Amino acid sequence: MNRRAIVATISRSVVNQPDRHGPDRPAATRRSGARDNAGTDLRQRQTAPLFRPAAETNRLQPRLARRRFCGYIRRPVQPTILIVDDEKHTREGLRASLEDSFDVYIAPDTAGALAVLESEHVDLMLTDLRLGGEDGMVLIEKALARSHPPIVIMMTAYGGVDTAVEAMKRGAYDFVTKPLNIDRLEILIRRALRSKHVEKEVIELKQKVETKYGLEKLIGHSPVMEEIFDMVKQVAPSRATVLITGESGTGKELVAQAIHALSGRAKEKFVAVHMAAFSAQLLESELFGHEKGAFTGATERRIGRFEQANGGTLFLDEIGEIDKNTQVKLLRVLGEDRSFERVGGNAPIKVDVRLVAATNRDIEDMVGKGEFRDDLYFRLSVVRIHMPPLRGRPEDIPLIAHHYLRVAAEENGKPVREMTADAMELLERYPWPGNIRELRAAIERAVVMAGGTKITVRDLPHSVRDGASAIPTGGPGLKLPGLSKPGLHLNLHETEQRMILRALDECGGNVTKAARVLGLSRRTLHRRLKEFRDGESAETAGATPAQPTSHGS
């Protein structure tokens, strides 16, 4: 007996098979198509067992992976398929031939199909082009408009190239013609489901990668860096403008890239502009573009960086270097209408750009001196992130050094894998005025000069060796008078307090400058000062005057 004869036999016996989904389902959602204008009586199956006896399952489902449970076969989780056809024998025959491998629902019309889609999670819908007087194309559009749309395969006896193209345009995965070849149809269904599964895995993996690795270029485990990581993850999904401050070489652009990578704009462009690299005249054209003939040499229209970054993120490095005229134009772009004009043009251009700026200058001091517009400063610093100098987080130096060691060894084809303890000690003692940029260059030089698998002290640059040797073992921090006196009792809390007060005194009481000197964030310094004040208040409150001794007469 061939397969078509087997399918026909199973189709005739379908009404006697148990209903897996129970009698309380809407008529259109029951796997037998009960009372869907097909004439099937449900009452005879309302007391049917939930699972088939093993003998019956062995006869009807030879390919099903079985798991015995109390003498019955429990079905594994299977992909769900909805078959929509106005011809009863077609939908019943398809259900019977596919139910061994899939969880099958059937419906005779659009209303029944939408009822199933509403109540069940359907992975794939196989629908006829013509459903009585209804158009199957309409059902396709409604199914694909759902929040979790199924894969759609269209079938019809009126096939043609034009119909197939139209079905694909509407979003159908593929197109089959009647009479159906069951083997080919099952292969097509499995291919479609596998494609959807792979697509889902790719999306989930991409989301995990973006969440986990958006910060991969920022290296460190010090408390100040953990605080920065938290701020980046918090601010990234928003539209807020971010101002990143810190010395040169501390990784400000890496922070900007991390904000972009963790935002909803990650798929769009990240455009960086180093403001100090352009004169005032060229910078305006670079940012906003120019029209043909706007100035000598403008032989054609040029799109500026704002337009290039439309939909994405624009990073303006060294924002403190721009002149007053450019500041005014930037202020307008950050205004309510988010628009600007090209040089030599008069038509306003609107853009959707997330702006991140950075500077190594004391921007607050520039505002105080009138060198930088205060209104632009407030627009830029909705969220402010300060990158500490490397000397302010020495515990991160080994981690960063080993990272760049691996990178440099791979790029230069060297077998270097580690460094000696003496070499690492020098790295930790050196003050790194060039910060991470200088450390990376020093590590690469050491990798190139290393004669074996380890970096030794002599492989390091002379500037690092000499600079580290000139610094006492107490570290490169502020020198406090009296700390080297013999017999002096050192208390860590008191020493920290004295260093902070000394830094504040040397910086004229400016907390921002003192924090920069100490290698702390402004917030951390404020917290330390509050702890000192709270400690002094507690000591004052706890100190009670001595009571005079009472002597009896």
Side-chain angles (χ1 to χ4, degrees):
M1 182 182 292
N2 61 27
R3 180 160 181 169
R4 290 190 182 281
I6 294 173
V7 170
T9 302
I10 297 175
S11 298
R12 288 194 295 272
S13 64
V14 69
V15 294
N16 296 319
Q17 294 180 12
D19 187 358
R20 291 176 290 152
H21 302 291
D24 297 328
R25 296 279 187 176
T29 69
R30 297 191 184 102
R31 51 186 290 275
S32 63
R35 290 301 182 196
D36 56 359
N37 299 324
T40 304
D41 188 358
L42 281 176
R43 290 173 294 180
Q44 60 182 324
R45 300 198 310 279
Q46 288 182 351
T47 59
L50 180 61
F51 303 105
R52 289 193 181 97
E56 181 183 353
T57 306
N58 288 339
R59 176 172 60 84
L60 294 178
Q61 302 173 352
R63 293 171 295 165
L64 179 64
R66 301 176 178 88
R67 182 159 64 95
R68 298 198 173 275
F69 177 72
C70 300
Y72 291 88
I73 302 301
R74 184 181 293 276
R75 287 175 177 266
V77 177
Q78 297 172 314
T80 302
I81 293 179
L82 170 61
I83 299 171
V84 189
D85 198 297
D86 59 332
E87 296 180 357
K88 178 186 175 182
H89 67 88
T90 300
R91 61 178 181 269
E92 291 282 3
L94 285 171
R95 181 198 58 75
S97 63
L98 295 174
E99 68 177 352
D100 291 352
S101 304
F102 308 103
D103 193 6
V104 182
Y105 291 81
I106 60 177
D109 50 30
T110 299
L114 292 177
V116 176
L117 292 172
E118 187 67 32
S119 61
E120 305 294 335
H121 177 79
V122 176
D123 296 303
L124 183 142
M125 183 176 73
L126 183 64
T127 180
D128 196 2
L129 174 62
R130 298 185 181 180
L131 301 171
E134 300 175 334
D135 186 358
M137 293 289 194
V138 176
L139 175 58
I140 289 179
E141 288 184 343
K142 291 183 177 180
L144 295 177
R146 301 183 61 82
S147 56
H148 298 286
I151 302 170
V152 175
I153 297 177
M154 176 169 280
M155 55 182 178
T156 183
Y158 309 95
V161 175
D162 294 341
T163 307
V165 171
E166 181 63 22
M168 303 293 280
K169 285 182 178 178
R170 300 287 181 95
Y173 177 81
D174 212 330
F175 182 91
V176 293
T177 58
K178 296 179 180 178
L180 301 174
N181 182 303
I182 299 299
D183 292 325
R184 290 181 181 177
L185 177 61
E186 188 168 344
I187 291 173
L188 178 61
I189 290 173
R190 292 187 181 281
R191 183 187 302 136
L193 291 171
R194 185 166 57 250
S195 174
K196 183 178 181 179
H197 179 71
V198 171
E199 181 181 352
K200 182 180 178 182
E201 284 188 334
V202 169
I203 292 174
E204 291 177 351
L205 181 60
K206 188 171 185 289
Q207 290 174 343
K208 290 179 181 179
V209 168
E210 288 174 350
T211 301
K212 182 177 181 179
Y213 296 107
L215 297 167
E216 86 279 8
K217 293 182 180 179
L218 291 171
I219 303 169
H221 54 70
S222 59
V224 65
M225 288 305 295
E226 291 294 341
E227 186 177 337
I228 289 173
F229 296 154
D230 291 341
M231 288 186 68
V232 169
K233 287 185 283 189
Q234 184 70 24
V235 73
S238 71
R239 292 175 54 89
T241 304
V242 181
L243 178 63
I244 307 170
T245 59
E247 297 178 8
S248 295
T250 52
K252 297 187 290 296
E253 185 167 350
L254 296 180
V255 174
Q257 291 174 353
I259 291 173
H260 174 74
L262 295 174
S263 73
R265 301 169 180 264
K267 294 181 180 179
E268 305 298 333
K269 287 185 178 181
F270 175 86
V271 179
V273 184
H274 298 277
M275 315 288 269
F278 301 93
S279 64
Q281 293 76 19
L282 290 177
L283 180 59
E284 185 177 354
S285 173
E286 187 70 21
L287 292 176
F288 308 111
H290 61 254
E291 298 289 351
K292 180 179 180 180
F295 50 83
T296 303
T299 57
E300 59 183 14
R301 172 186 288 180
R302 186 179 187 278
I303 301 299
R305 297 298 183 94
F306 270 96
E307 288 182 82
Q308 292 177 24
N310 190 28
T313 302
L314 180 61
F315 175 58
L316 303 181
D317 197 10
E318 303 303 342
I319 192 71
E321 305 300 326
I322 61 176
D323 66 345
K324 287 292 187 67
N325 184 47
T326 308
Q327 291 179 28
V328 172
K329 290 207 169 188
L330 272 180
L331 189 62
R332 181 181 176 185
V333 179
L334 293 174
E336 298 297 330
D337 59 349
R338 296 261 173 175
S339 66
F340 62 92
E341 298 171 359
R342 297 193 190 102
V343 177
N346 52 18
I349 300 172
K350 288 191 175 183
V351 290
D352 174 24
V353 172
R354 177 33 167 334
L355 197 65
V356 179
T359 182
N360 62 359
R361 300 183 63 179
D362 187 341
I363 201 81
E364 291 178 338
D365 185 58
M366 293 178 65
V367 170
K369 294 178 179 179
E371 298 174 358
F372 199 90
R373 293 180 64 99
D374 56 354
D375 47 4
L376 178 58
Y377 168 69
F378 296 137
R379 291 279 178 86
L380 291 173
S381 59
V382 175
V383 177
R384 182 167 176 174
I385 299 176
H386 179 73
M387 288 299 292
L390 193 54
R391 63 182 176 276
R393 50 184 184 114
E395 61 268 49
D396 289 336
I397 291 177
L399 196 64
I400 300 171
H402 279 106
H403 169 74
Y404 286 124
L405 186 154
R406 291 192 297 270
V407 172
E410 183 177 348
E411 290 179 349
N412 292 279
K414 299 280 289 189
V416 182
R417 296 291 178 267
E418 54 185 333
M419 61 180 63
T420 63
D422 291 343
M424 181 58 72
E425 182 182 353
L426 279 182
L427 296 183
E428 291 176 334
R429 290 176 56 191
Y430 185 66
W432 300 108
N435 293 294
I436 298 174
R437 189 178 294 126
E438 183 183 6
L439 174 60
R440 180 173 185 173
I443 293 297
E444 184 169 6
R445 190 262 188 197
V447 167
V448 171
M449 299 303 296
T453 60
K454 288 186 178 182
I455 292 177
T456 63
V457 171
R458 69 176 186 177
D459 299 323
L460 296 173
H462 287 287
S463 58
V464 174
R465 282 183 277 168
D466 296 342
S469 301
I471 297 173
T473 56
L478 291 170
K479 297 180 180 179
L480 297 180
L483 286 184
S484 58
K485 293 180 179 178
L488 178 66
H489 174 69
L490 293 178
N491 179 283
L492 181 60
H493 179 74
E494 292 178 358
T495 302
E496 181 184 39
Q497 184 175 5
R498 293 175 66 187
M499 290 182 69
I500 290 176
L501 295 177
R502 174 66 179 275
L504 285 170
D505 181 61
E506 291 188 357
C507 296
N510 189 310
V511 176
T512 301
K513 289 183 178 179
R516 188 177 298 118
V517 169
L518 292 166
L520 302 173
S521 69
R522 196 166 181 268
R523 182 185 300 179
T524 301
L525 182 54
H526 274 298
R527 186 172 65 249
R528 299 281 173 83
L529 291 172
K530 184 177 183 301
E531 290 172 357
F532 295 155
R533 288 194 295 268
D534 292 344
E536 291 174 357
S537 299
E539 291 177 3
T540 304
T544 55
Q547 299 295 326
T549 305
S550 175
H551 300 281
S553 56

